[in-house]
Amino acid sequence: EVQLVQSGAEVKKPGESLKISCKGSGYSFTSYWIGWVRQMPGKGLEWMGIIYPGDSDTRYSPSFQGQVTISADKSISTAYLQWSSLKASDTAMYYCARPVHYGSEYYFDYWGQGTLVTVSS
Amino acid sequence: SSELTQDPAVSVALGQTVRITCQGDSLRSYYASWYQQKPGQAPVLVIYGKNNRPSGIPDRFSGSSSGNTASLTITGAQAEDEADYYCNSRDSSGNHADVVFGGGTKLTVL
């Protein structure tokens, strides 16, 4: 069974750093991209970026380039999303998801349960 | 990058049929995928490709596409279908960074 299991909720202060994780299981972790999606309180889904754990090829949405860092450790089948200096506006739910690309089809077939990040002084 | 436009809210009477639409230039090159999100839960894929349902998704959910518009149809809406629905596609540029979600449609079942 394919599963993406994310790390637990975090409460941080502005300016602090943070790294959240997404552990894949039940499939070949190095053969699929893993993406990150933000959902701010009461808002819609926003695409952040993606990584291919097989070779660490990483792409970012222009909206998030330079704001976050996506990485992966294939030895433990885990992808990461990190911030060097959090802002209150980073308060959101963050989801990892596995994209599938086949011809003209592009979809996210599995999602993590989400990690709630709260940034408040 | 492309944008996908959805109506913010739609309502349907219990047991009736409802169509949720998604418009965007990228849909001329890529099929839309559709996700259901209930409060406090992660999104769940309900339709992908031309009209495919993942295992466990009821057959009252179906998808279609014409030009730059994709549609999710629920035939015989049930109370448990009340949720937010998001469409998604990849930009025709083919860049993994150019993935886009619609703004979401809140479906109310009356």
Side-chain angles (χ1 to χ4, degrees):
Chain A
E1 177 194 11
V2 174
Q3 285 191 309
L4 297 175
V5 178
Q6 297 185 230
S7 50
E10 301 275 1
V11 179
K12 292 289 189 179
K13 290 181 166 48
E16 291 186 333
S17 63
L18 176 64
K19 192 173 190 177
I20 63 175
S21 66
C22 169
K23 184 174 175 60
S25 63
Y27 71 102
S28 174
F29 187 73
T30 54
S31 299
Y32 288 82
W33 294 79
I34 285 280
W36 288 94
V37 176
R38 182 176 78 174
Q39 187 168 39
M40 300 178 76
K43 302 298 184 182
L45 305 174
E46 298 176 87
W47 175 245
M48 299 180 72
I50 196 167
I51 188 165
Y52 189 74
D55 61 7
S56 293
D57 186 3
T58 308
R59 318 281 177 85
Y60 294 92
S61 161
S63 298
F64 291 91
Q65 179 83 49
Q67 308 305 308
V68 297
T69 301
I70 294 171
S71 61
D73 184 341
K74 60 185 179 183
S75 69
I76 55 172
S77 300
T78 301
Y80 301 97
L81 178 66
Q82 69 180 89
W83 295 260
S84 59
S85 181
L86 286 160
K87 301 184 284 289
S89 56
D90 292 317
T91 294
M93 182 73 80
Y94 294 88
Y95 294 101
C96 62
R98 189 181 81 164
V100 174
H101 182 201
Y102 182 74
S104 296
E105 301 180 358
Y106 191 90
Y107 55 93
F108 297 93
D109 59 351
Y110 290 95
W111 293 69
Q113 83 278 19
T115 296
L116 180 62
V117 174
T118 303
V119 184
S120 175
S121 55
Chain B
S1 61
S2 296
E3 291 185 353
L4 294 177
T5 301
Q6 298 182 242
D7 291 328
V10 171
S11 62
V12 61
L14 184 68
Q16 295 304 300
T17 297
V18 62
R19 177 173 291 181
I20 298 170
T21 61
C22 174
Q23 286 190 301
D25 286 342
S26 62
L27 300 180
R28 297 184 186 277
S29 303
Y30 280 90
Y31 290 109
S33 52
W34 291 92
Y35 306 85
Q36 177 192 69
Q37 187 180 35
K38 296 181 179 179
Q41 297 183 20
V44 172
L45 177 68
V46 293
I47 290 289
Y48 66 96
K50 191 172 183 180
N51 181 18
N52 302 302
R53 284 175 289 105
S55 174
I57 301 301
D59 61 5
R60 62 179 179 272
F61 289 88
S62 63
S64 61
S65 182
S66 178
N68 73 336
T69 301
S71 300
L72 171 70
T73 300
I74 306 174
T75 304
Q78 302 299 302
E80 61 264 32
D81 299 333
E82 186 162 290
D84 294 326
Y85 290 86
Y86 295 92
C87 61
N88 157 251
S89 133
R90 184 172 177 181
D91 187 85
S92 54
S93 70
N95 185 347
H96 262 297
D98 289 331
V99 173
V100 63
F101 288 94
T105 297
K106 182 177 183 61
L107 176 67
T108 300
V109 180
L110 304 171

